[in-house]
Amino acid sequence: MNHFLQLTLLACLSLNPAWAFQGIPISPVVRGLSRKAALVSVALRATSVEKTEEEWKEILDPDQYNVLRKEGTEAPWSSPLNDVKEDGVFRCAGCNSPLFPSNSKFESGSGWPSFYAPIDSDAVDLSVDYKMVVPRTETACKSCKGHLGHVFDDGPQPTGKRYCMNGVAMNFVSNAEDPDLAESVSQRLKIAGPGAIEQPLMAVLPGLALDAIVAGLFITSFIDKNGGNGLELFANGVEAGQLLQLIPLGIGAFYAASALRGVAGLILPSN
């Protein structure tokens, strides 16, 4: 093949690879790999979904609209998604974007479907919510910006997070129902890894400050009450009657440890 033909072939490939190879047999293996690559490519794009309020009212029932568009909260223990045990994917009820894999779901005892991580950072948006005065981290669908719930720092490992979601804001699709969806989510999980999504700094700092203040108050109370005798309690052994004196110190130590964990979470990488 001369140089001119080589350049022509390269031009064809760059313009339209499928046209260039039209009619050439492709092995099932290559076809399978191409299909997987296409699934991942589509899955990784967080397509923006924009509708008017009237359009949302037409496609959502009143409960879904109240939660997704008006940031309401469903009653605890009211969602059938609490009882889902199958392998599958939880999707946004507004736009059907994949949000959480079933293997990150856990029983939190809160009454709302809870997860320790979304599929990846392309699934949800995190922002600061001041509606309860104390800042919380709101979780919303990245595609349609629909309100899903909030994320808290009392979940299981590997992330330590609890995504407390409104069941009415989601729907569930089992892997058996939609194998293509299951495959695309599986590929996204492999790429994303097990790390937690970073929360907004302004949602984290007030909690750290509150923990530090409470720790300081209780530890100061212990020192003021016991003075130098505080060290003697440990040096001479604590008697049963002196255990109550240690309660402020124990509470202070608990909140101090919580503050230190928060600081470590800001400094150290999540993966």
Side-chain angles (χ1 to χ4, degrees):
M1 184 182 295
N2 59 37
H3 185 64
F4 175 77
L5 289 177
Q6 290 176 352
L7 291 176
T8 302
L9 180 57
L10 287 173
C12 291
L13 286 171
S14 63
L15 290 172
N16 193 333
W19 174 81
F21 284 105
Q22 189 173 6
I24 299 177
I26 300 176
S27 73
V29 173
V30 173
R31 187 179 292 109
L33 291 174
S34 299
R35 179 172 173 273
K36 286 186 177 182
L39 286 170
V40 174
S41 176
V42 171
L44 288 176
R45 291 197 299 268
T47 305
S48 178
V49 177
E50 297 182 3
K51 297 182 184 296
T52 65
E53 289 304 304
E54 291 304 315
E55 288 174 327
W56 283 121
K57 287 179 180 178
E58 288 180 6
I59 65 174
L60 300 173
D61 66 37
D63 291 334
Q64 291 173 327
Y65 181 80
N66 178 54
V67 171
L68 283 165
R69 311 315 307 177
K70 295 300 181 181
E71 301 181 6
T73 302
E74 68 184 4
W77 309 108
S78 62
S79 174
L81 296 187
N82 279 317
D83 301 320
V84 170
K85 306 296 183 185
E86 294 179 77
D87 292 333
V89 179
F90 291 84
R91 304 185 304 182
C92 175
C95 64
N96 285 328
S97 294
L99 301 172
F100 296 92
S102 60
N103 60 10
S104 77
K105 184 174 182 288
F106 69 98
E107 180 53 59
S108 66
S110 65
W112 289 277
S114 299
F115 308 83
Y116 62 74
I119 296 169
D120 53 27
S121 60
D122 220 36
V124 300
D125 265 336
L126 302 181
S127 60
V128 185
D129 175 7
Y130 292 99
K131 295 181 185 65
M132 300 291 288
V133 182
V134 177
R136 298 180 297 170
T137 303
E138 180 187 0
T139 306
C141 171
K142 188 144 194 172
S143 295
C144 71
K145 309 307 178 186
H147 174 76
L148 301 170
H150 294 85
V151 58
F152 303 97
D153 295 323
D154 56 2
Q157 292 303 317
T159 65
K161 304 296 182 181
R162 172 172 60 94
Y163 287 80
C164 187
M165 303 292 98
N166 289 279
V168 73
M170 303 183 294
N171 56 53
F172 176 76
V173 180
S174 70
N175 290 345
E177 288 179 85
D178 195 335
D180 286 347
L181 176 63
E183 176 66 19
S184 67
V185 169
S186 175
Q187 294 297 324
R188 288 173 64 177
L189 289 169
K190 289 178 183 177
I191 294 171
I197 299 175
E198 291 185 8
Q199 293 177 246
L201 187 61
M202 288 309 299
V204 178
L205 287 181
L208 293 181
L210 182 61
D211 285 345
I213 291 170
V214 173
L217 289 173
F218 276 98
I219 293 174
T220 301
S221 172
F222 173 79
I223 294 173
D224 289 344
K225 186 174 182 179
N226 295 281
N229 295 329
L231 294 176
E232 294 180 4
L233 288 175
F234 295 99
N236 302 326
V238 180
E239 299 178 1
Q242 297 173 316
L243 289 176
L244 290 177
Q245 299 179 44
L246 297 179
I247 290 178
L249 181 61
I251 295 174
F254 173 81
Y255 280 97
S258 178
L260 288 173
R261 283 198 302 270
V263 172
L266 292 177
I267 297 174
L268 300 177
S270 59
N271 289 322

